[in-house]
Amino acid sequence: MPETPRRPAGNLPPLSLHIPEPCYRPGDTPDFSDVPVPAVDATPRPGEATKPDAMRDLCYGLVRVLDFDGQAKGPWDPKLAPERLRTMLRYMMTVRAFDDRMFRAQRQGKTSFYMKSTGEEATSVASTMAIDRADMVFPSYRQQGILIARDYPLVQMMNQIYSNRGDHLLGRQLPIMYSAPDYGFFSVSGNLATQYPQAVGWAMASASKGDSRIATTWCGEGSSAEGDFHSALTFATVYNAPVIFNVVNNQWAISSFSGFAGGERTTFAARAVGYGIAGLRVDGNDPLAVYAATQWAADRARTNNGPTLIEHFTYRAEGHSTSDDPNAYRAAQEASAWPFGDPIMRLRQHLETLGEWDGERHEALKQELDDLIKTSQKQSEKLGILGHGMHQPFETMFEDVFEHMPWHLQEQCEQMLAEQRAKFGPDWKPE
Ligand SMILES: Cc1ncc(C[n+]2csc(CCOP(=O)(O)OP(=O)(O)O)c2C)c(N)n1
């Protein structure tokens, strides 16, 4: 066999790897002027049954509705009534007030952990308002806005955060990893992206039963590099599962910027192209755009036209969690320099532009919500906070896993009780 002629190795450059590096580090002045900001009416709205390959451009554009003067424009305007817009604003402001209060509670030592969603309130609240209450949601850990938009009791959220006597998860989940089956909210998992295949499985079951409910799921752009993300998309496209995949691209995965998940090469919405799934890229700080895109995807799923991947282009305005200090790895002014502003301020401005809101009402609502959160917190703290003894009774940690407690758990339970009696006296009894 004649050998295929090859370029002499001596003429080739040495192989090298590209190591992504964020544009700005602490001390730098961020400049986002190169982030494309398409006009509000520049992105067409295809019909909900459009084939994925006929709408690829939407993976590279940006669905927008609100311009920076607070006007709603273009084909994606969902034309919501002012009352509905005010409800959306109230939920988003509740999330922010809740986050601020619980962050402080962690700093005061009342809980071990908290995660804020500051700047991302629109992505969870507006999309929850665009689906049905009966639809099933498989969230990540930064979607407290879903529970709040489904009117989940704030005191119960706090009980979970404090792992106190009122925590119906019995202190077994990390704070903020809620589970609310009655609210169509699947248990939050600490293992990134596991909720993606679970959502697809649920959606497939819903379809195979001939039901009308759809599933939605969430992860960050960093988690889109997980294997689970990709197997979920494969199953969804193969079986045309009625599911909406939300990728919240908040630019950072703890201290890794989006480039480490592939963000330098293409958009996260474009992940959909390879799977033959519809993809939409949305301004995640524009609550009306988030609402409109979700409504589009929900209609598509409900009419058997298949799954949709929505990239919410946004910015994580604060630390990853209470265990993180973003000043160690990113420029301090990034959040304020973000070209798409703050989602709450944008909705407020829109309502004011419509003549349906004003500064006085805004301040009154803020005060009302702060009071509500404070009252809820007081109520929850009566049932205990971290380290004040009112946690779940110890022995419950051995219960509810097996129908009949196996011998080795019984043995461990007895050992624990013996240790408690040795410490507190022979009369000590579990409460
Ligand atoms: C399988 C797995 N790998 C790593 C981690 C540690 N971890 C927790 S959150 C996180 C960052 C995720 O970032 P992203 O998906 O962008 O979501 P965001 O926190 O920005 O909302 C990492 C690496 C984990 N919990 N699970």
Side-chain angles (χ1 to χ4, degrees), residues 7 28 32 39 76 87 111 116 151 210 268 281 286 289 312 417:
R7 271 211 271 176
D28 294 341
F32 290 125
W76 286 91
T87 304
T111 177
K116 296 177 102 175
D151 298 317
F268 291 94
R281 190 164 173 272
D286 175 345
H312 301 264
L417 294 174

Side-chain angles (χ1 to χ4, degrees), residues 120 141-142 190-192 219-223 226 248 250 252-254 316 320:
E120 301 174 37
Y141 44 72
R142 218 182 287 285
N191 302 319
L192 299 176
C219 74
E221 85 291 342
S223 305
E226 286 286 343
V248 181
N250 64 9
W252 291 91
I254 315 185
R316 195 196 75 208
H320 170 74

Side-chain angles (χ1 to χ4, degrees), residues 397-425:
M397 79 170 115
F398 297 102
E399 295 166 3
D400 301 330
V401 178
F402 298 95
E403 193 179 355
H404 302 291
M405 198 187 288
W407 66 268
H408 68 283
L409 290 188
Q410 260 171 34
E411 213 175 74
Q412 286 175 29
C413 186
E414 278 154 24
Q415 196 181 337
M416 182 207 65
L417 294 174
E419 276 171 18
Q420 292 298 105
R421 288 191 185 114
K423 221 158 131 190
F424 301 110

Side-chain angles (χ1 to χ4, degrees), residues 126-190:
S127 62
T128 304
M129 290 179 70
I131 57 171
D132 285 355
R133 173 64 180 73
D135 293 333
M136 186 72 190
V137 171
F138 292 76
S140 165
Y141 44 72
R142 218 182 287 285
Q143 278 80 51
Q144 49 268 55
I146 297 176
L147 283 177
I148 285 172
R150 283 191 167 177
D151 298 317
Y152 189 78
L154 300 177
V155 176
Q156 278 196 39
M157 290 174 78
M158 292 173 175
N159 289 345
Q160 200 283 331
I161 292 165
Y162 291 141
S163 303
N164 66 14
R165 278 296 158 85
D167 174 15
H168 75 268
L169 303 181
L170 309 176
R172 292 170 187 184
Q173 284 267 78
L174 185 78
I176 67 95
M177 302 222 165
Y178 314 101
S179 176
D182 296 346
Y183 287 75
F185 184 96
F186 194 76
S187 313
V188 178
S189 159

Side-chain angles (χ1 to χ4, degrees), residues 118-413:
T118 313
E120 301 174 37
E121 294 89 349
T123 63
S124 53
V125 167
S127 62
T128 304
M129 290 179 70
I131 57 171
D132 285 355
R133 173 64 180 73
D135 293 333
M136 186 72 190
V137 171
F138 292 76
S140 165
Y141 44 72
R142 218 182 287 285
Q143 278 80 51
Q144 49 268 55
I146 297 176
L147 283 177
I148 285 172
R150 283 191 167 177
D151 298 317
Y152 189 78
L154 300 177
V155 176
Q156 278 196 39
M157 290 174 78
M158 292 173 175
N159 289 345
Q160 200 283 331
I161 292 165
Y162 291 141
S163 303
N164 66 14
R165 278 296 158 85
D167 174 15
H168 75 268
L169 303 181
L170 309 176
R172 292 170 187 184
Q173 284 267 78
L174 185 78
I176 67 95
M177 302 222 165
Y178 314 101
S179 176
D182 296 346
Y183 287 75
F185 184 96
F186 194 76
S187 313
V188 178
S189 159
N191 302 319
L192 299 176
T194 50
Q195 67 276 15
Y196 255 60
Q198 289 161 345
V200 177
W202 191 97
M204 287 170 65
S206 183
S208 70
K209 283 189 287 197
D211 203 341
S212 60
R213 293 177 297 162
I214 63 167
T216 68
T217 188
W218 299 80
C219 74
E221 85 291 342
S223 305
S224 73
E226 286 286 343
D228 274 350
F229 175 93
H230 297 276
S231 28
L233 265 67
T234 303
F235 268 88
T237 191
V238 169
Y239 296 102
N240 213 36
V243 60
I244 304 173
F245 297 111
N246 293 284
V247 175
V248 181
N249 177 7
N250 64 9
Q251 315 302 320
W252 291 91
I254 315 185
S255 55
S256 296
F257 85 113
S258 59
F260 276 101
E264 286 179 330
R265 305 297 184 203
T266 185
T267 69
F268 291 94
R271 294 262 205 269
V273 174
Y275 292 97
I277 285 178
L280 298 174
R281 190 164 173 272
V282 179
D283 173 3
N285 290 16
D286 175 345
L288 297 192
V290 170
Y291 185 99
T294 310
Q295 191 179 44
W296 185 95
D299 286 349
R300 181 178 181 89
R302 232 181 282 286
T303 49
N304 285 316
N305 285 300
T308 303
L309 171 65
I310 303 177
E311 173 186 350
H312 301 264
F313 192 62
T314 181
Y315 187 83
R316 195 196 75 208
E318 299 205 19
H320 170 74
S321 72
T322 46
S323 313
D324 177 45
D325 175 11
N327 293 319
Y329 53 80
R330 70 180 190 188
Q333 297 85 16
E334 277 198 15
S336 51
W338 187 244
F340 297 95
D342 175 84
I344 292 179
M345 296 322 285
R346 287 182 66 188
L347 187 53
R348 171 188 176 167
Q349 185 194 26
H350 177 53
L351 272 161
E352 286 179 356
T353 309
L354 294 175
E356 295 285 348
W357 199 243
D358 56 51
E360 212 173 300
R361 289 172 86 175
H362 195 82
E363 284 315 307
L365 177 59
K366 197 164 175 308
Q367 191 57 51
E368 181 197 329
L369 295 174
D370 283 347
D371 292 346
L372 172 71
I373 304 285
K374 253 187 244 171
T375 317
S376 308
Q377 191 184 17
K378 279 202 184 120
Q379 213 178 320
S380 172
E381 290 184 1
K382 282 196 190 132
L383 299 172
I385 53 171
L386 181 72
H388 282 243
M390 288 179 74
H391 37 66
Q392 298 289 323
F394 284 136
E395 68 282 6
T396 60
M397 79 170 115
F398 297 102
E399 295 166 3
D400 301 330
V401 178
F402 298 95
E403 193 179 355
H404 302 291
M405 198 187 288
W407 66 268
H408 68 283
L409 290 188
Q410 260 171 34
E411 213 175 74
Q412 286 175 29
C413 186

